[in-house]
């Protein structure tokens, strides 16, 4: 198992990765397989993984759990030979044994690496309420030095709680040690936005209010609560998805060119976008709840929690003045998609005759598909072959799987873990950024519109169409992505 996609030029120091919540769902589905890929590649070959949770088990039991999880969930096939190389890098200690036992387990892992430059990476795959107790445990175990900490969302539930959380974290860790993870930004297509904009003279000159009419960021989900009723009741779609995911994607889309392709410069431009955003107007928000949500186990019979949210927001700066950004996400919707769609302004005057078809299928769009199978599409009008002037909507498409590098893609969590090991904050949000977003959200949180019910399997409440008028939602697509065709071989 090799990999050739390390962008970082500095050699990576040996790493001891402590995974809190190592027996939980995220660890089983993503983290353990990601650690294995990094450890058995040339990206991070010198690592040890110390798993810890409240469960009592031996290191051998944990290896069995890890093997079963990786076999079930990893997209890469795991042979016994491959597993036998990774298994010795795993160990386990129960959190119930206290800070000293954790410190001893980390020390043992560091002794195996036998390098004074060994760094520590603590991954907090734990419920938000448990994060501060874990940080306190790390302080008691004296595991703060030479360490970085990855924190999972949500980063607070409003401005006051976000400020309090950041202040509590900063009592133990400096801000440059903290990595607030958003797996959406770890995906190849999200980063492809930067390449598309800043590496091509074709697009950056038109990336502004003069040429772009509106932008849609659309992340519907078909999944329901997936057993997370208690968590979801305290957050809902807006707090769970918009603040921590969709706004972060918006910042990549809308940011000014950074002075350099490095974490501090990119982070500053993202924060400038957040500073320029106007407060969320509740009149520009549609909140929804799927029918049957209140009958779910653990949900109150009169719950007002939103399982769907669509909103319009604005960025009040020179580049984006007057351009609306439409965001939509929700549970139990018709399709699971992750789309950024940029609608360009239509020509000011048409010279084509009536009935030619120009304008009949809406404006030209540049579309990024943020799913794992990364795709980009640019639509435009072109002449239909034959007599007369009839126009059809055509498209140029790029798909990652069509390239020779498709097998080198890092999964989102793998990339983000690797970046945290290198101390690269490019794809992570800051305390300033997250507090600013909660501040912008205050008008909506203080005076939310009532939830509107929608049937599972639909695209949300009907009110979303009035909100976006005279424009229209891009999803569902009228045209399907083109699939790669296998080459035809001739027969002798």
């Amino acid at each position: 198992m090799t990999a050739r996609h390390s962008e970082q030029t500095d050699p990576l120091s040996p790493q001891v990765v402590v995974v809190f919540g190592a027996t939980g769902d995220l660890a089983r589905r993503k983290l353990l397989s990601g650690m294995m890929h990094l450890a058995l590649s040339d990206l991070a070959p010198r690592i040890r993984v110390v798993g810890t949770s409240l469960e009592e088990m031996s290191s051998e039991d944990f290896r069995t759990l890890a093997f079963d999880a990786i076999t079930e969930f990893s997209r890469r096939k795991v042979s016994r030979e491959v597993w036998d190389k990774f298994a010795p890098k795993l160990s386990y200690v129960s959190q119930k044994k206290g800070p000293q036992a954790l410190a001893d387990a980390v020390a043992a892992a560091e002794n195996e690496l036998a390098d004074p430059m060994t760094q520590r990476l603590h991954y907090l795959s734990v419920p938000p309420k448990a994060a501060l107790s874990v940080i306190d445990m790390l302080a008691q175990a004296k595991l703060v030095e030479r360490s970085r900490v990855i924190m999972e969302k949500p980063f607070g539930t409003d401005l006051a709680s976000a400020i309090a959380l950041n202040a509590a974290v900063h009592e133990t860790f400096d801000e440059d040690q903290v990595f607030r993870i958003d797996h959406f930004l770890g995906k190849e297509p999200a980063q492809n936005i930067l390449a598309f904009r800043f590496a091509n003279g074709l697009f950056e000159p038109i990336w502004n209010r003069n040429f772009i009419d509106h932008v849609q960021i659309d992340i519907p989900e078909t999944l329901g609560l997936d057993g997370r009723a208690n968590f979801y009741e305290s957050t809902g779609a807006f707090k769970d998805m918009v603040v921590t995911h969709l706004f972060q994607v918006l910042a990549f889309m809308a940011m000014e060119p950074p002075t350099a392709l490095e974490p501090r410069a990119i982070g500053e431009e993202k924060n400038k976008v957040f500073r320029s955003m106007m407060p969320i107007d509740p009149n520009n928000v549609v909140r929804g709840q799927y029918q049957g949500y209140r009958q779910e186990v653990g949900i109150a019979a009169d719950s007002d929690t939103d399982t769907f949210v669509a909103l319009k927001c604005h960025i009040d700066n020179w580049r984006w003045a007057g351009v609306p950004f439409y965001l939509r996400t929700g549970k139990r919707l018709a399709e699971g998609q992750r789309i950024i769609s940029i609608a360009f302004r239509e020509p000011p005057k048409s010279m084509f005759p009536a009935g030619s078809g120009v304008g009949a299928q809406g404006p030209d769009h540049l579309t990024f598909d943020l799913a794992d199978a990364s795709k980009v599409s640019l639509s435009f009008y072109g002449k239909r072959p034959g007599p007369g002037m009839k126009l059809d909507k055509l498209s140029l498409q790029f798909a990652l799987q069509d390239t020779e590098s498709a097998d080198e893609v890092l999964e989102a969590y793998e990339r983000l873990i690797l970046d945290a090991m290198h101390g690269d904050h490019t794809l992570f949000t800051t305390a300033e950024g997250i507090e600013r977003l909660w501040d912008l959200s205050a008008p909506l949180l203080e005076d939310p519109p009532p939830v509107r019910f929608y049937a599972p399997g639909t695209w949300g409440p009907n009110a979303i169409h009035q909100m976006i008028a005279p424009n229209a939602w891009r999803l569902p697509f009228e045209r399907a992505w083109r699939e790669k065709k296998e080459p035809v071989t001739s027969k002798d």
Side-chain angles (χ1 to χ4, degrees), residues 295-449:
Q295 285 72 53
E296 300 269 11
V297 176
I299 302 300
D302 59 349
S303 173
D304 189 50
T305 299
D306 49 277
T307 64
F308 171 97
V309 64
L311 62 90
K312 176 170 65 175
C313 59
H314 291 89
I315 301 173
D316 189 22
N317 63 15
W318 191 274
R319 182 184 291 265
W320 296 113
V323 177
F325 287 74
Y326 300 103
L327 281 56
R328 175 173 63 170
T329 187
K331 298 286 189 184
R332 302 288 301 275
L333 296 178
E335 295 179 25
Q337 296 275 4
R338 296 164 185 169
I339 298 294
I340 302 176
S341 187
I342 298 149
F344 293 101
R345 294 191 183 279
E346 298 190 59
K349 182 176 175 59
S350 175
M351 64 181 183
F352 296 94
S356 66
V358 67
Q361 298 183 56
D364 300 336
H365 284 87
L366 176 63
T367 303
F368 294 88
D369 186 340
L370 301 186
D372 292 328
S374 171
K375 298 173 183 175
V376 180
S377 174
L378 178 63
S379 70
F380 56 93
Y381 284 101
K383 182 184 179 300
R384 184 187 305 171
M389 184 58 72
K390 294 288 188 179
L391 304 182
D392 286 327
K393 202 72 166 183
L394 308 174
S395 67
L396 298 173
Q397 295 188 6
F398 158 80
L400 183 63
Q401 62 263 35
D402 293 342
T403 72
E404 295 180 356
S405 303
D407 60 346
E408 297 188 21
V409 174
L410 284 174
E411 290 193 348
Y413 282 100
E414 294 169 356
R415 175 177 295 280
L416 293 168
I417 290 168
L418 182 63
D419 284 354
M421 288 177 176
H422 280 279
D424 185 340
H425 279 86
T426 300
L427 302 177
F428 299 85
T429 192
T430 64
E432 176 191 342
I434 203 69
E435 289 176 14
R436 171 59 179 165
L437 290 175
W438 284 121
D439 189 24
L440 292 170
S441 305
L444 173 62
L445 299 180
E446 293 168 1
D447 186 25

Side-chain angles (χ1 to χ4, degrees), residues 177-412:
Q177 293 178 281
V178 181
F179 293 76
R180 298 169 187 84
I181 196 166
D182 173 11
H183 71 275
F184 277 69
L185 295 187
K187 295 179 178 293
E188 286 286 344
Q191 297 162 74
N192 212 13
I193 298 170
L194 296 182
F196 223 84
R197 288 188 58 188
F198 303 130
N200 298 291
L202 177 62
F203 293 104
E204 181 54 26
I206 62 172
W207 211 267
N208 57 58
R209 60 186 173 85
N210 295 321
F211 297 93
I212 293 177
D213 183 78
H214 66 274
V215 178
Q216 295 181 32
I217 301 175
D218 208 350
I219 305 181
E221 297 180 298
T222 58
L223 297 174
L225 298 187
D226 200 23
R228 300 191 306 159
N230 290 337
F231 166 78
Y232 208 78
E233 269 290 87
S234 63
T235 54
F238 181 81
K239 294 180 180 179
D240 181 40
M241 289 291 292
V242 176
V243 175
T244 52
H245 289 325
L246 276 70
F247 281 158
Q248 303 299 326
V249 174
L250 182 152
F252 260 56
M253 195 344 255
M255 62 188 271
E256 296 295 320
T259 55
L261 197 65
E262 56 91 17
R264 191 177 300 276
I266 292 175
E268 176 59 21
E269 295 305 331
K270 286 173 60 182
N271 283 340
K272 284 182 181 178
V273 173
F274 299 147
R275 292 181 209 131
S276 299
M277 286 177 64
M278 301 179 71
I280 305 302
D281 183 349
N283 294 316
N284 291 330
V285 179
V286 175
R287 297 172 67 240
Q289 185 184 98
Y290 66 78
Q291 294 168 353
Y293 174 79
R294 295 177 179 179
Q295 285 72 53
E296 300 269 11
V297 176
I299 302 300
D302 59 349
S303 173
D304 189 50
T305 299
D306 49 277
T307 64
F308 171 97
V309 64
L311 62 90
K312 176 170 65 175
C313 59
H314 291 89
I315 301 173
D316 189 22
N317 63 15
W318 191 274
R319 182 184 291 265
W320 296 113
V323 177
F325 287 74
Y326 300 103
L327 281 56
R328 175 173 63 170
T329 187
K331 298 286 189 184
R332 302 288 301 275
L333 296 178
E335 295 179 25
Q337 296 275 4
R338 296 164 185 169
I339 298 294
I340 302 176
S341 187
I342 298 149
F344 293 101
R345 294 191 183 279
E346 298 190 59
K349 182 176 175 59
S350 175
M351 64 181 183
F352 296 94
S356 66
V358 67
Q361 298 183 56
D364 300 336
H365 284 87
L366 176 63
T367 303
F368 294 88
D369 186 340
L370 301 186
D372 292 328
S374 171
K375 298 173 183 175
V376 180
S377 174
L378 178 63
S379 70
F380 56 93
Y381 284 101
K383 182 184 179 300
R384 184 187 305 171
M389 184 58 72
K390 294 288 188 179
L391 304 182
D392 286 327
K393 202 72 166 183
L394 308 174
S395 67
L396 298 173
Q397 295 188 6
F398 158 80
L400 183 63
Q401 62 263 35
D402 293 342
T403 72
E404 295 180 356
S405 303
D407 60 346
E408 297 188 21
V409 174
L410 284 174
E411 290 193 348

